[in-house]
């Protein structure tokens, strides 16, 4: 018996057992395997179709999203511009109002200063008048201690009064 060449009986039985296994597999195994392969192929084809549809939907959604983002960016720009204009308007109004209030306060302060100035002038005049009267009183008392001086003073005053009454 040679190791490389099997005997004819061994070949016959190997061939017979191979044919029996092949027939059994062909009758029962291959249809099941072919059916499973066909089902797997159909599943893969269906999955590929679903993936293509999902990809198309994704592309459409991506385009819609980009359009929506562009629209939102435009709207955001418009809102920002409007907000800036409104801010400028509010600032201008606030400045005008502040200027008006400041002018009113300035006018009130000027009026108050004018009133205080007038009151100060009146007070100074009163004080000057009082001081003048006090000084005149002291001067007249000193000068009019003697009766003769009093009479001279009265005569002078009458002389001053007479020309004044003639003019009127």
């Amino acid at each position: 018996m040679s190791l490389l060449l099997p005997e004819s009986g061994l070949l016959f039985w190997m061939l017979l057992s191979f044919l029996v296994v092949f027939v059994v597999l062909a009758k029962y195994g291959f249809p099941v395997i072919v059916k499973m392969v066909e089902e797997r192929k159909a599943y893969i084809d269906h999955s590929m179709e679903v993936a293509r549809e999902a990809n198309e939907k994704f592309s459409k959604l991506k385009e819609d999203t980009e359009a929506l983002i562009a629209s939102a960016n435009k709207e955001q720009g418009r809102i920002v511009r409007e907000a800036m204009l409104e801010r400028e308007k509010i600032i201008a109004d606030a400045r005008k109002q502040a200027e008006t209030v400041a002018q009113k306060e300035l006018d009130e302060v000027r009026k108050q200063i004018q009133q205080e100035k007038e009151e100060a002038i009146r007070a100074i005049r009163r004080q000057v008048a009082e001081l003048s009267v006090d000084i005149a009183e002291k001067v007249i008392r000193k000068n009019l201690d003697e009766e003769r001086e009093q009479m001279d003073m009265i005569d002078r005053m009458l002389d001053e009064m007479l020309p004044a009454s003639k003019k009127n």
Side-chain angles (χ1 to χ4, degrees):
M1 162 174 208
S2 141
L3 291 174
L4 295 176
L5 292 174
E7 289 186 20
S8 60
L10 182 60
L11 278 176
F12 171 75
W13 287 112
M14 282 177 57
L15 186 61
L16 181 66
S17 58
F18 175 75
L19 288 176
V20 170
V21 169
F22 184 76
V23 170
V24 170
L25 281 177
K27 177 129 179 132
Y28 299 109
F30 289 146
V32 172
I33 293 173
V34 170
K35 182 181 174 190
M36 287 176 64
V37 168
E38 290 295 325
E39 286 176 0
R40 181 71 178 158
K41 182 183 176 217
Y43 177 74
I44 291 172
D45 288 342
H46 178 70
S47 295
M48 290 296 288
E49 184 63 30
V50 169
R52 271 190 223 108
E53 289 175 7
N55 197 14
E56 289 173 7
K57 286 181 182 178
F58 177 73
S59 297
K60 185 168 175 29
L61 283 174
K62 186 177 179 182
E63 290 173 5
D64 291 345
T65 303
E66 288 173 357
L68 187 61
I69 288 172
S71 174
N73 286 339
K74 286 180 184 178
E75 184 70 16
Q76 178 187 13
R78 183 187 64 80
I79 290 171
V80 167
R81 282 191 301 277
E82 287 178 2
M84 289 176 67
L85 290 174
E86 187 67 25
R87 180 190 70 172
E88 293 298 324
K89 181 181 174 187
I90 289 171
I91 289 172
D93 290 344
R95 281 186 182 149
K96 287 179 184 177
Q97 188 176 13
E99 287 174 1
T100 304
V101 168
Q103 187 62 39
K104 285 181 182 178
E105 288 179 5
L106 186 60
D107 291 342
E108 288 177 14
V109 167
R110 284 182 182 159
K111 286 178 185 177
Q112 185 178 2
I113 289 172
Q114 186 64 30
Q115 288 174 350
E116 289 176 2
K117 179 181 171 184
E118 290 172 3
E119 287 176 15
I121 290 172
R122 277 188 241 128
I124 290 172
R125 284 183 182 168
R126 268 189 244 116
Q127 287 178 355
V128 167
E130 287 175 7
L131 287 175
S132 297
V133 168
D134 288 344
I135 291 172
E137 182 182 339
K138 287 183 182 184
V139 168
I140 290 174
R141 278 190 192 163
K142 182 180 178 190
N143 290 338
L144 300 178
D145 284 342
E146 297 179 15
E147 190 172 321
R148 183 174 161 259
E149 288 176 9
Q150 290 177 1
M151 292 309 281
D152 287 341
M153 180 74 141
I154 291 171
D155 289 337
R156 261 184 297 160
M157 289 178 133
L158 285 172
D159 289 339
E160 288 175 10
M161 294 298 274
L162 287 175
S165 63
K166 288 181 183 177
K167 289 180 185 176
N168 291 337

